[in-house]
Each structure stands twice: as C-alpha cells, then as structure tokens.
Amino acid sequence: MSRRLSIRARVWLALTLPPLSWFAFEQGLSALLHLRCNATSLGIAWGLASILLCSLAARIAWPLHQRRGPLASAWLARLALAVAAIFALAILFQTLALSIVPPCVG
C-alpha cells in the first residue's frame, strides 16, 4: 500500500531536490575528475542525470503552483519552479564547460 505525500511534503521535496542534485553533481564531478581526468563522457552523463533531477522537481511543483490550498504552499511551489530552473541552468553551464574545456589541461 503506497502512501501519497502531502502537499507540503511535495512542495518541500520540489524545493530541496535541485540544490541537493547540484551539490551532488559538483562533488561527484570533482571526485570523478580527480580520479580520472579523462572521464569527460561520465561527467556529461552525470550532468544530464542532475538536470533530470531538477526537471523532476519542476514536474512535482508544476501542478501545485495553481492549487487552491494554503497560500504558502502555492508560493513555495512557484519558488520551487524558479529554483529548479536556476540550478538546472547552473548544471547545464558546468556540463557545457566540461565538454568544451578538457579537464586534464591543468
């Protein structure tokens, strides 16, 4: 029997998932490139997976931002959409930088 998350839990999940995925991306990419600096394809895959987590957070928040419930939940859902976009953009730029500049240069 699966139990559905409350609106408040879904909003907070959507709000915290993008920063956590960005942090995991940065730390994982750093650890990966310290071990093998020529693992660019793994780093790009890591970046795409992190962007997918941000889009999952946006998908969770999207139906909640128009919900007629507590005002704080709708406001936090709108904030979660903005946070997901900002962190996805940051991850995208870091992934693009990884594909343009070879990490073994320095």
Side-chain angles (χ1 to χ4, degrees), residues 1-76:
M1 180 165 114
S2 69
R3 197 177 212 192
R4 293 190 58 115
L5 292 174
S6 69
I7 292 172
R8 180 177 290 175
R10 284 184 281 167
V11 166
W12 280 104
L13 177 66
L15 192 60
T16 57
L17 190 59
L20 290 177
S21 65
W22 172 77
F23 182 74
F25 167 71
E26 290 292 327
Q27 295 302 313
L29 186 65
S30 172
L32 175 69
L33 293 179
H34 280 329
L35 289 176
R36 282 186 21 201
C37 72
N38 59 354
T40 305
S41 60
L42 286 175
I44 291 172
W46 189 271
L48 293 177
S50 299
I51 290 172
L52 282 176
L53 283 176
C54 289
S55 63
L56 173 67
R59 173 71 176 105
I60 291 170
W62 182 255
L64 303 175
H65 86 283
Q66 295 178 346
R67 183 170 285 255
R68 301 218 188 270
L71 183 61
S73 295
W75 187 82
L76 285 174

